[in-house]
Amino acid sequence: MAAVTTSAERSLNKLAIVGVLIVTMIFLAPIYWIASTAFKPRNLATTIPPTVVFQPEISPFVKLFTKRSQLRTAPTPEQYAAAPWWERLVFDGGEKVVRSGRGEVQWSGYPSRFMNSLIVAITSTILAVGMGTFTAYGFSRFKIKGEQDLLFFILSTRMLPPVVVAIPMFLMYRVVGLNDTHWGLIILYTAFNLSFSVWLMKGFMDEIPKEYEEAALVDGYTRMEAFFKIVLPEAATGIAATAVFCFITAWNEYAFALIMTNRRAQTAPPFIPSQVGSGLPDWTVIAAGTFLFLLPVAIFTFLLRNHLLRGMSFGAIRK
Amino acid sequence: MATAVMTTLDPNSRSAARGMSDLTIRNLFIIPTIVFLIVFNIFPLIYSLGYSFTDFRASSPAAANFVGLQNYRELLNDPFIWSNFAITAKYVIVSVVGQVIVGFGVALLLNRDIPLKGLLTTLLLLPMMLSMAVVGLFWKLLYDPSFGIINYTLGLGSFEWLSNPDMALYAVAITDIWMWSPFVMLLSLAGLSAVPKHLYEAAAIDRAGSFYTFFRITLPLVAPILMIAIIFRTMEAFKTFDLAYILTSQPTTEVISIRLYKMAFQEWQTGRSCALAYIVLIMILAITNIYVKYLNKVKER
């Protein structure tokens, strides 16, 4: 924008600053509310007026990770004294942790769903970015007949609504036994992210001067050596940005996970809503599950903010 | 397509003395991806095209009977399906228009001399990085008529957002606007920062008003990238499933994806749902084509 010179411009600028701050606050308010509810005692989660100042607790997280049952009677002092400190937190909430016959703590479904999310998202990201990087290099450096059509075909695989693809995939997976398996989801997410990965990586590859490899080839490198030793390090930023986008998509995906998995391989996005059930949901536990689930993405976004901004606008301008 | 790739010779390829030839490397790099996408995207679609002409039900062991175009004829004559499309259209329009207004507006603000611009932009991006299903679940609490923070903050008393059939679709759209305005904002910012500064300086010398500058310089130059944002968001909004499915179960928010999901996985009318999927597919292709033509027109100007 033009340099600020006149007093009218300066006051306009002040207005803009105030406006941006207000918008940012409005946009972050729901996320703040999730985070703060995750640390509230249950009775403060749904008060009117809303509770803003409170003593933070970790009991929502204890409840999130363990199976619990409502207490019929208050715990005896002996029971209370015998329980570890984190179980006492749940006693105080009128619930107790369920133990197996041998006295082992029964975990809730959340930890395993979280692990499933990690396994599926990380593996499919590695596959999509790996294949995408190779393919993007191929498209960027070699002459290919019908290049534009092929690239459009690759992009078009991303246009379909997940539900449309999910019906035939469900039938096919049933035949080959991939339903409710990690690999089933990994393959789907890889296919889904691959198109994006190729497009984004092609943008980054096009920016790396061809002369780098040519110099390497003259020095006696083979094409493969030049690719691995010269091009890949140069493309590291792009690979990182692409990886974060693919991870976020796979991490957050809901429709396929809902349709293709039910117990063994279910990820967190269909699991967390299924825990609401009927009656009065414990919003502190749901908030704790949501908060933990959002954390990796929020941290990623923050650590890689500069690459993200570049990656995003970059891919978009080229598309 | 794959054979075409293999038989084209790159005129510039120099056959390396050692290692693989460029042609081998190119095929090695490209063909696996193409094959993978055909197997997992195109093949399933052909598979379901076959089923769309049958009365197949995945829940019953009965063999599929060929019924010809009956599924398509029935679906196209079903007023309920058309109302699902109408709901989807309304939803797409409300949420995309909302996102463009909010996103472009914030981008215009951010394009001035704002301290901590990078940090604020990153913070604003956070909503679109989150899971629609999980965030949607939490917005249920925010929307709650008796203890939701939205009604409390806006002083709306016990206003019903999600259980009111007239309001539910707008409530879903508001959440969608919250999630995806940052996307429009980001692309607009990229477009705005690419407008050459000397144009503004020239306009200032000519004593052009800010309205004139905006409509004659800023908007036309940002239009192509804004159009790309609109294409992306329209397609995504057309596909909406998780947000509406999680937030409400009103008949007025039953967008076409939800109808499709219910038909396929709750009523188990597999053949019929395959036919509906094809109708949706054709519509998406048509919309995309119209958009792309319009985009090219905008670019030419």
Side-chain angles (χ1 to χ4, degrees):
Chain A
M1 208 69 186
V4 180
T5 43
T6 63
S7 65
E9 268 292 315
R10 232 171 285 138
S11 54
L12 257 179
N13 225 42
K14 270 185 198 141
L15 267 177
I17 293 171
V18 174
V20 168
L21 287 178
I22 291 173
V23 171
T24 312
M25 263 155 53
I26 293 173
F27 269 72
L28 293 186
I31 298 170
Y32 166 76
W33 204 245
I34 296 175
S36 71
T37 307
F39 293 94
K40 277 181 187 171
R42 181 170 185 177
N43 58 342
L44 294 184
T46 53
T47 52
I48 279 292
T51 314
V52 179
V53 183
F54 59 95
Q55 181 75 37
E57 279 195 7
I58 61 153
S59 63
F61 292 93
V62 174
K63 290 183 191 172
L64 177 69
F65 282 111
T66 53
K67 255 193 193 153
R68 319 165 304 278
S69 67
Q70 289 284 328
L71 279 180
R72 299 262 164 75
T73 54
T76 61
E78 296 85 58
Q79 278 175 329
Y80 193 84
W85 62 271
W86 50 272
E87 253 178 66
R88 282 183 209 158
L89 285 174
V90 187
F91 275 140
D92 294 338
E95 294 173 42
K96 67 169 190 208
V97 173
V98 179
R99 288 167 173 281
S100 73
R102 278 173 298 174
E104 283 153 351
V105 174
Q106 299 267 297
W107 297 97
S108 70
Y110 190 80
S112 69
R113 308 308 150 110
F114 197 86
M115 277 306 292
N116 286 343
S117 277
L118 279 177
I119 293 169
V120 169
I122 290 175
T123 316
S124 69
T125 300
I126 293 171
L127 287 174
V129 175
M131 288 173 81
T133 305
F134 285 120
T135 309
Y137 180 78
F139 272 111
S140 174
R141 292 300 195 268
F142 302 115
K143 282 226 173 98
I144 289 156
K145 209 175 191 180
E147 179 178 325
Q148 288 307 317
D149 294 334
L150 271 180
L151 279 173
F152 183 77
F153 158 73
I154 290 175
L155 185 66
S156 70
T157 59
R158 182 97 189 210
M159 289 179 189
L160 311 175
V163 182
V164 170
V165 190
I167 300 169
M169 287 310 280
F170 176 83
L171 299 173
M172 276 175 63
Y173 271 19
R174 217 169 53 160
V175 174
V176 293
L178 274 170
N179 267 339
D180 204 17
T181 61
H182 289 138
W183 276 108
L185 276 190
I186 289 169
I187 289 171
L188 269 174
Y189 292 170
T190 305
F192 198 64
N193 270 332
L194 194 49
S195 60
F196 186 69
S197 166
V198 170
W199 274 79
L200 208 54
M201 283 312 301
K202 183 168 183 299
F204 283 106
M205 288 291 181
D206 284 345
E207 268 216 337
I208 303 170
K210 275 186 185 167
E211 288 76 25
Y212 288 7
E213 298 136 83
E214 272 157 22
L217 290 176
V218 170
D219 284 351
Y221 281 53
T222 63
R223 179 65 89 164
M224 275 299 208
E225 284 168 348
F227 173 72
F228 281 107
K229 290 183 185 156
I230 312 288
V231 179
L232 272 193
E234 286 290 319
T237 317
I239 293 174
T242 311
V244 173
F245 282 116
C246 292
F247 178 83
I248 289 172
T249 315
W251 183 250
N252 289 335
E253 205 284 327
Y254 175 77
F256 282 127
L258 176 73
I259 293 165
M260 303 295 187
T261 65
N262 44 57
R263 290 187 69 85
R264 276 181 299 150
Q266 196 179 51
T267 54
F271 176 73
I272 298 175
S274 72
Q275 293 310 96
V276 174
S278 53
L280 274 182
D282 187 343
W283 283 103
T284 61
V285 178
I286 295 163
T290 307
F291 176 74
L292 273 189
F293 186 74
L294 304 183
L295 212 53
V297 169
I299 293 171
F300 256 149
T301 310
F302 219 76
L303 289 180
L304 287 157
R305 56 188 177 277
N306 297 327
H307 304 315
L308 282 186
L309 295 180
R310 185 159 167 264
M312 272 310 282
S313 34
F314 211 65
I317 286 173
R318 280 168 194 265
K319 275 171 208 161
Chain B
M1 258 176 284
T3 49
V5 173
M6 274 183 281
T7 51
T8 352
L9 250 167
D10 178 359
N12 294 332
S13 84
R14 104 198 61 197
S15 43
R18 27 185 218 105
M20 284 177 273
S21 73
D22 280 4
L23 191 68
T24 318
I25 290 175
R26 189 194 67 187
N27 290 341
L28 203 66
F29 278 13
I30 292 176
I31 291 174
T33 295
I34 304 282
V35 171
F36 188 84
L37 288 174
I38 289 175
V39 171
F40 289 103
N41 277 300
I42 305 304
F43 182 66
L45 284 179
I46 297 170
Y47 192 78
S48 70
L49 181 65
Y51 272 124
S52 75
F53 299 115
T54 68
D55 63 355
F56 181 61
R57 298 175 80 93
S59 59
S60 90
N65 296 313
F66 182 79
V67 295
L69 287 172
Q70 191 193 332
N71 285 330
Y72 289 91
R73 209 176 317 129
E74 279 174 12
L75 284 169
L76 291 173
N77 286 321
D78 185 347
F80 293 110
I81 296 293
W82 287 108
S83 85
N84 292 135
F85 276 117
I87 290 166
T88 312
K90 191 169 154 194
Y91 174 77
V92 169
I93 292 168
V94 172
S95 68
V96 174
V97 168
Q99 282 155 26
V100 169
I101 293 173
V102 176
F104 192 58
V106 178
L108 282 177
L109 291 179
L110 270 174
N111 197 39
R112 303 183 138 265
D113 284 328
I114 304 277
L116 298 175
K117 193 162 145 180
L119 177 75
L120 289 172
T121 313
T122 314
L123 287 176
L124 282 170
L125 290 189
L126 213 47
M128 61 177 269
M129 303 291 172
L130 307 179
S131 162
M132 282 181 116
V134 175
V135 165
L137 173 69
F138 210 82
W139 270 75
K140 258 186 158 165
L141 174 67
L142 304 184
Y143 275 133
D144 194 283
S146 44
F147 46 76
I149 189 153
I150 292 178
N151 279 5
Y152 179 78
T153 317
L154 302 179
L156 289 174
S158 59
F159 182 77
E160 298 274 359
W161 289 91
L162 298 169
S163 48
N164 177 348
D166 296 327
M167 199 60 216
L169 192 70
Y170 295 103
V172 179
I174 288 171
T175 309
D176 198 56
I177 292 169
W178 174 77
M179 279 198 89
W180 291 103
S181 293
F183 177 78
V184 181
M185 173 200 85
L186 192 61
L187 293 200
S188 308
L189 263 181
L192 285 171
S193 60
V195 177
K197 284 203 173 62
H198 66 83
L199 290 179
Y200 289 119
E201 281 154 20
I205 290 166
D206 291 345
R207 296 181 179 278
S210 47
F211 272 99
Y212 184 87
T213 320
F214 179 77
F215 283 105
R216 284 303 165 93
I217 298 174
T218 312
L219 204 52
L221 284 169
V222 181
I225 197 163
L226 198 57
M227 199 61 208
I228 289 170
I230 293 172
I231 294 176
F232 269 70
R233 284 314 310 152
T234 306
M235 281 170 44
E236 293 289 325
F238 196 91
K239 298 196 283 189
T240 292
F241 173 72
D242 23 19
L243 206 54
Y245 187 70
I246 295 278
L247 269 173
T248 73
S249 50
Q250 294 286 339
T252 51
T253 59
E254 198 179 88
V255 291
I256 196 68
S257 292
I258 295 182
R259 178 78 281 236
L260 197 48
Y261 171 76
K262 285 184 176 168
M263 196 183 279
F265 297 103
Q266 288 177 358
E267 298 158 16
W268 291 106
Q269 303 186 2
T270 315
R272 213 168 125 93
S273 64
C274 286
L276 180 57
Y278 261 86
I279 297 173
V280 171
L281 196 65
I282 290 165
M283 284 201 174
I284 288 208
L285 289 178
I287 296 171
T288 319
N289 263 320
I290 296 170
Y291 263 137
V292 170
K293 279 212 182 94
Y294 191 72
L295 174 69
N296 290 336
K297 236 190 222 166
V298 171
K299 268 187 179 163
E300 274 164 24
R301 258 192 298 174

